[in-house]
Amino acid sequence: MRTHSFLTVLLWSSVFYVIHMTPSQKRTNKHSHSERITGLSESDGKTLHRTKRGWMWNQFFLLEEYTGPDTQYVGKLHTDQDKGDGNLKYILTGDGAGSLFIIDENTGDIHAAKKLDREEKSLYVLRAKAIDRKTGRQVEPESEFIIKIHDINDNEPKFTKDMYTASVPEMSGVGTSVIQVTATDADDANYGNSAKVVYSILQGQPYFSVDPETGIIKTALPDMSRENREQYQVVIQAKDMGGQMGGLSGTTTVNITLTDVNDNPPRFPQSSYQFSSPESAPPGTPLGRIKANDPDVGENAEIEYSISNGDGSDMFDIITDKDTQEGIITVKKHLDFENKVLYTLRVEATNTHPDPRFLQLGPFKDTALVKISVEDIDEPPVFSRPWYLIEVDEDAKEGSIIGQVMAQDPDVANNAIKYSVDRHTDLDRIFNIYSGNGSLFLSKPLDREEIPWHNITVIATEINNPKQSSQIPVFIRILDINDHAPEFANYYETFVCENAKAGQLIQTVSAIDKDQPPRGHKFFFELVPEFAVHPNFSVVDNKDNTAGILTRRNGYSRSKTSTYLLPIIIFDNDYPIQSSTGTLTIRVCACDSRGNMQSCSAEALLLPAGLSTGALVAILLCIIILLVLVVLFTALKRQRKKEPLIISKDDVRDNIVTYNDEGGGEEDTQAFDIGTLRNPEAREESKMRRDVIPETIFQIRRTAPLWENIDVQDFIHRRLKENDLDPAAPPYDSLATYAYEGNDSIANSLSSLESLTTEGNQDYDYLSDWGPRFKKLADMYGGEDSDRD
């Protein structure tokens, strides 16, 4: 409802006013009598006179939203110099002059031509002046005045939002602030109560209240529970005129949500739970889920599950599913039905984020009893150990027992067990097992130096239920027996200089042994008994598994003896002692004064220099590569392509490259070389055909030479006639027939290309006699005369 109030003020004044002067103008005197002010100015000391203003006008305030039938009277401009004879003309300029405000230039009366709205513009600044109609001069200086629009209550309060959204924690106390709403009124707040807004609540009681002056919404009931009701819709009204009757009003809606707090502990829906598990369940197997209900939401409903006590706390575990807030009971250790068949657990559910304000409501946790029964199943055999390690000497005899594995059925039935070796782990079938007692024995001899370790798998299977089986790894270590003699560690290329001195060390040798004695290797070196006192060289044992070769005389001659063989016996210290004889080849070489070898072969005595082995190998490779290249070149040369059929540019046939090309006549010299046709001598050369072997060699006929200016058409016809009549001309052209349909057709050719008659004088009636296959043609051509008619 909108209420309009109108206030009419009529002010008559016989005094002169200047109201709301701008800062650039001086305020005029309010008195009607003339006043003279005499004084000296600071600049020139002239006498100053203040002249009275003779302006007179009434009413400078105007009500908005005027709805009367006539224009609204604003006021009157008048000067005391106006004698009423019409000599003065009043002129109005400024805001809205001429459009909103109209002045009677004779009387000075001002009227508002349109309805004004204070909310659009509340103040108009105008200027007035009076002009003598005869002289055109101003009888009064231009003066500025203001017309102010008085407000009426024509605007209702409006909220800044059409709808508000707010939240408040549940269980909040009375008077807890929720949200502040704000409404504004476009009316003048300085004029009456048109813009004075008062707030009230229309919907939402008794849960909420609103402050009438500030618009702050507060809780009105204590301990509101989100679990009972979460959403509230509150309607707030804003009314102007201080809330009095007749004021305008506006409303808005506030949606208030109660947010959750942790005011509810978790509770199990039942006091006990029952689960079962097979005894074969591996650790980590889930057995079931339990859940404690918490009406809270979000982190306030997060629950942590744990096992507080019970005889199964070591055998089972419980984990929390963060997504569903459930407790998952899992197997922690291997179960054994024969050992224990029933376990009892005490499971506890606790809130992870308790609120200290509500701890007085009770403990925020709950417990439940969980019973788990173990189910018996037929289990596979169980070995006495997780793995077996067996050591055996490498000289053990075939058939000897090297160890034993043991397994038993863990079930109450205690079924009999048989043993076997997984042959995928013993492809050579070196080991075997007695199926009754699990004793392992050898089937083949062992060699530690070949394979020092054997890893096999033994399978134990229940006799009554072959599906129940288990496997166990068996690691067999082969113990070393001293069955290998030591030998030289490397192949030694030993040389002695011709100018060597007695006692000079020429080589240090060492030995290796495939055996691995527990105390390590110890080798001894000496000459064979036959060479115990060698006239040329001696062996000195260094006691560190090496030996030195020394010269026993001064000087050696390649010409007499170029190579010496020195047999050396190598012993080890293991049991039984093993020995071997290694022969060291010593060459006599020519050396420089520093002992550096220069040459060792006997042929080098005759040659000042020679090629090294690497150089000889490189030369040999180059020779082989050259031979391969020669062979490849010869093979490629034999496989060359045959010479093409047409090799001469003079042959006319190589100019014919396009079929079905009629060309451009004699002036077309691009398709073929017409010069060849104009040169009869070039055609006179008879070329034998290369694609066939002629059966009879005919004598080539010579034709009469043609002149150079002979006509081309005549030339072609003459050549064509010659070749047609020449029995020796080979058939250069061949005829290829495609889509052969057979012969002896009674219809002959249906093409009209070879027909010499026109379409008008041909008779197609005979097509109807050829049978049903030609019926369509007979209808098309046989009825032509009738169509023309």
Side-chain angles (χ1 to χ4, degrees):
M1 178 178 182
R2 178 174 297 178
T3 302
H4 298 278
S5 298
F6 299 96
L7 178 61
T8 306
V9 180
L10 181 61
L11 297 178
W12 291 92
S13 176
S14 61
V15 296
F16 306 104
Y17 289 88
V18 176
I19 300 176
H20 300 294
M21 296 295 292
T22 61
S24 62
Q25 293 178 337
K26 295 181 180 179
R27 188 177 300 274
T28 61
N29 189 12
K30 295 183 178 179
H31 303 283
S32 60
H33 59 83
S34 298
E35 181 179 9
R36 185 172 211 167
I37 299 176
T38 304
L40 297 176
S41 66
E42 296 179 356
S43 58
D44 53 7
K46 293 181 180 180
T47 301
L48 301 178
H49 297 275
R50 174 176 289 178
T51 306
K52 70 175 183 177
R53 295 278 177 92
W55 282 111
M56 295 178 62
W57 55 77
N58 304 330
Q59 193 173 357
F60 301 96
F61 297 94
L62 187 64
L63 290 177
E64 66 171 338
E65 304 292 346
Y66 175 74
T67 58
D70 300 328
T71 58
Q72 188 177 7
Y73 181 72
V74 178
K76 183 180 182 64
L77 294 180
H78 183 71
T79 178
D80 56 359
Q81 296 186 19
D82 186 359
K83 305 304 180 179
D85 54 2
N87 290 330
L88 295 182
K89 178 181 179 181
Y90 295 96
I91 299 175
L92 186 67
T93 60
D95 295 341
S99 58
L100 294 179
F101 302 104
I102 302 173
I103 188 171
D104 188 335
E105 62 181 14
N106 295 320
T107 64
D109 292 330
I110 303 175
H111 291 80
K114 297 181 180 179
K115 182 172 62 174
L116 303 177
D117 188 357
R118 189 201 66 83
E119 286 71 34
E120 293 182 1
K121 190 175 181 65
S122 62
L123 204 66
Y124 294 87
V125 180
L126 297 168
R127 292 179 177 83
K129 59 183 177 180
I131 300 176
D132 191 327
R133 292 180 182 272
K134 295 179 180 181
T135 63
R137 68 176 184 86
Q138 294 184 9
V139 298
E140 292 288 349
E142 185 180 61
S143 179
E144 182 180 280
F145 64 95
I146 295 174
I147 298 177
K148 186 176 181 181
I149 309 301
H150 273 179
D151 182 48
I152 65 172
N153 190 18
D154 60 341
N155 292 280
E156 73 277 4
K158 292 185 178 180
F159 286 92
T160 56
K161 294 182 180 178
D162 295 333
M163 181 177 292
Y164 291 83
T165 302
S167 63
V168 63
E170 63 173 334
M171 306 300 290
S172 297
V174 176
T176 302
S177 178
V178 179
I179 192 175
Q180 183 178 15
V181 295
T182 304
T184 59
D185 196 317
D187 294 324
D188 190 358
N190 300 320
Y191 181 76
N193 293 328
S194 298
K196 186 177 181 180
V197 178
V198 175
Y199 300 94
S200 61
I201 184 168
L202 301 181
Q203 177 183 326
Q205 295 175 329
Y207 307 104
F208 299 95
S209 62
V210 63
D211 189 295
E213 295 182 358
T214 62
I216 298 176
I217 301 175
K218 302 178 181 179
T219 57
L221 284 181
D223 301 332
M224 288 189 293
S225 177
R226 184 200 62 84
E227 289 73 28
N228 295 333
R229 183 177 177 182
E230 185 177 4
Q231 299 287 339
Y232 294 86
Q233 190 175 73
V234 179
V235 178
I236 302 297
Q237 174 184 267
K239 190 173 184 180
D240 59 11
M241 299 298 292
Q244 298 177 3
M245 185 178 296
L248 303 179
S249 65
T251 60
T252 186
T253 302
V254 183
N255 294 322
I256 301 176
T257 303
L258 294 184
T259 58
D260 185 59
V261 296
N262 194 2
D263 58 339
N264 295 281
R267 291 289 182 263
F268 284 105
Q270 58 193 67
S271 59
S272 63
Y273 297 85
Q274 183 74 34
F275 298 100
S276 61
S277 172
E279 61 176 338
S280 61
T285 302
L287 303 181
R289 292 172 176 255
I290 60 175
K291 183 177 182 181
N293 297 325
D294 191 334
D296 296 324
V297 294
E299 68 174 13
N300 297 321
E302 292 182 1
I303 301 174
E304 186 70 28
Y305 296 90
S306 62
I307 298 176
S308 58
N309 53 43
D311 57 2
S313 58
D314 295 335
M315 304 300 296
F316 301 93
D317 197 3
I318 186 169
I319 58 177
T320 303
D321 189 337
K322 299 298 183 181
D323 297 330
T324 62
Q325 297 300 316
E326 294 177 318
I328 305 173
I329 298 176
T330 60
V331 178
K332 188 176 181 180
K333 294 182 180 180
H334 288 283
L335 304 176
D336 189 358
F337 174 82
E338 290 73 24
N339 186 23
K340 192 174 180 63
V341 297
L342 183 63
Y343 294 90
T344 303
L345 304 175
R346 179 67 65 177
V347 177
E348 185 177 88
T350 308
N351 273 139
T352 57
H353 299 88
D355 195 332
R357 297 175 297 173
F358 307 103
L359 292 179
Q360 72 276 5
L361 299 179
F364 280 76
K365 61 182 179 180
D366 194 15
T367 59
L369 188 66
V370 179
K371 296 180 179 181
I372 302 175
S373 59
V374 182
E375 299 176 352
D376 185 27
I377 62 169
D378 189 6
E379 298 177 274
V382 178
F383 285 92
S384 60
R385 300 179 188 176
W387 48 271
Y388 290 86
L389 174 62
I390 300 176
E391 294 182 344
V392 58
D393 294 333
E394 65 174 325
D395 61 347
K397 303 299 183 182
E398 297 181 16
S400 59
I401 296 176
I402 61 174
Q404 184 181 17
V405 297
M406 296 183 64
Q408 64 178 4
D409 185 8
D411 298 324
V412 178
N414 195 13
N415 294 323
I417 297 173
K418 66 177 180 179
Y419 301 90
S420 61
V421 176
D422 186 358
R423 290 306 173 187
H424 293 91
T425 60
D426 184 25
L427 298 177
D428 295 333
R429 296 181 175 271
I430 299 175
F431 304 95
N432 211 333
I433 192 171
Y434 291 107
S435 61
N437 58 11
S439 297
L440 288 166
F441 63 92
L442 291 177
S443 298
K444 293 182 180 180
L446 303 174
D447 187 358
R448 190 205 64 82
E449 287 72 28
E450 183 177 353
I451 303 177
W453 284 87
H454 294 270
N455 301 327
I456 65 173
T457 300
V458 175
I459 303 173
T461 308
E462 292 185 9
I463 295 177
N464 296 334
N465 187 6
K467 294 182 179 179
Q468 297 296 332
S469 63
S470 57
Q471 299 178 352
I472 195 73
V474 179
F475 308 107
I476 303 174
R477 179 183 179 185
I478 311 301
L479 300 178
D480 184 44
I481 298 297
N482 193 23
D483 56 348
H484 290 83
E487 57 188 15
F488 282 128
N490 299 300
Y491 174 76
Y492 296 100
E493 293 184 358
T494 306
F495 69 93
V496 62
C497 294
E498 288 182 308
N499 57 357
K501 304 296 182 181
Q504 183 177 343
L505 178 64
I506 62 173
Q507 184 69 59
T508 299
V509 296
S510 61
I512 58 173
D513 194 337
K514 295 181 180 180
D515 296 322
Q516 288 184 351
R519 295 184 300 275
H521 292 289
K522 183 64 178 177
F523 302 120
F524 304 94
F525 302 86
E526 63 180 32
L527 292 174
V528 296
E530 292 81 3
F531 295 88
V533 181
H534 199 280
N536 296 308
F537 304 97
S538 62
V539 176
V540 177
D541 194 337
N542 297 327
K543 307 301 182 182
D544 59 355
N545 294 336
T546 62
I549 310 300
L550 304 178
T551 58
R552 291 180 59 88
R553 63 186 180 88
N554 296 327
Y556 296 86
S557 176
R558 280 186 295 167
S559 60
K560 294 181 179 180
T561 304
S562 61
T563 303
Y564 293 92
L565 301 178
L566 184 64
I568 301 174
I569 301 177
I570 308 173
F571 301 90
D572 59 18
N573 66 337
D574 205 356
Y575 179 82
I577 297 176
Q578 299 287 343
S579 64
S580 66
T581 300
T583 301
L584 190 65
T585 301
I586 304 174
R587 293 184 299 165
V588 180
C589 301
C591 302
D592 57 12
S593 59
R594 297 182 179 179
N596 298 323
M597 180 184 66
Q598 292 182 341
S599 62
C600 294
S601 61
E603 291 80 1
L605 296 173
L606 302 176
L607 298 176
L611 295 176
S612 63
T613 304
L616 292 176
V617 172
I619 294 174
L620 183 61
L621 288 176
C622 292
I623 294 174
I624 294 174
I625 293 172
L626 289 175
L627 291 176
V628 171
L629 292 175
V630 171
V631 172
L632 291 176
F633 179 76
T634 304
L636 291 175
K637 190 173 182 180
R638 291 181 178 180
Q639 295 180 0
R640 286 185 307 173
K641 296 182 179 179
K642 293 182 179 181
E643 187 176 356
L645 178 63
I646 301 174
I647 60 174
S648 176
K649 293 184 178 179
D650 297 334
D651 197 336
V652 178
R653 288 175 297 167
D654 68 348
N655 290 319
I656 304 175
V657 294
T658 304
Y659 293 91
N660 300 327
D661 185 6
E662 296 181 359
E666 293 181 1
E667 296 179 358
D668 185 4
T669 59
Q670 300 297 326
F672 56 88
D673 187 7
I674 197 170
T676 304
L677 296 177
R678 291 186 175 276
N679 187 6
E681 298 299 329
R683 186 63 183 86
E684 294 300 323
E685 296 181 10
S686 178
K687 294 180 176 60
M688 298 299 295
R689 185 175 178 184
R690 299 193 178 196
D691 56 342
V692 295
I693 300 176
E695 295 181 357
T696 305
I697 300 177
F698 295 92
Q699 185 176 1
I700 301 176
R701 294 192 306 109
R702 294 290 180 179
T703 58
L706 299 176
W707 291 277
E708 194 169 334
N709 56 353
I710 191 172
D711 183 44
V712 174
Q713 182 178 4
D714 183 48
F715 171 77
I716 291 175
H717 283 297
R718 291 184 57 183
R719 285 301 186 191
L720 180 60
K721 184 177 180 180
E722 285 182 8
N723 284 276
D724 289 339
L725 299 177
D726 188 2
Y732 282 100
D733 298 324
S734 60
L735 177 65
T737 304
Y738 298 92
Y740 178 66
E741 298 181 356
N743 51 10
D744 298 333
S745 175
I746 61 175
N748 294 325
S749 176
L750 298 179
S751 175
S752 61
L753 297 177
E754 298 178 358
S755 176
L756 298 178
T757 60
T758 62
E759 183 180 358
N761 56 10
Q762 287 197 29
D763 185 11
Y764 296 99
D765 294 337
Y766 61 90
L767 294 176
S768 59
D769 300 330
W770 287 359
R773 294 186 178 182
F774 297 89
K775 184 176 182 305
K776 186 66 176 178
L777 291 175
D779 295 339
M780 294 172 59
Y781 290 88
E784 186 175 357
D785 295 335
S786 61
D787 293 338
R788 290 173 183 171
D789 297 335

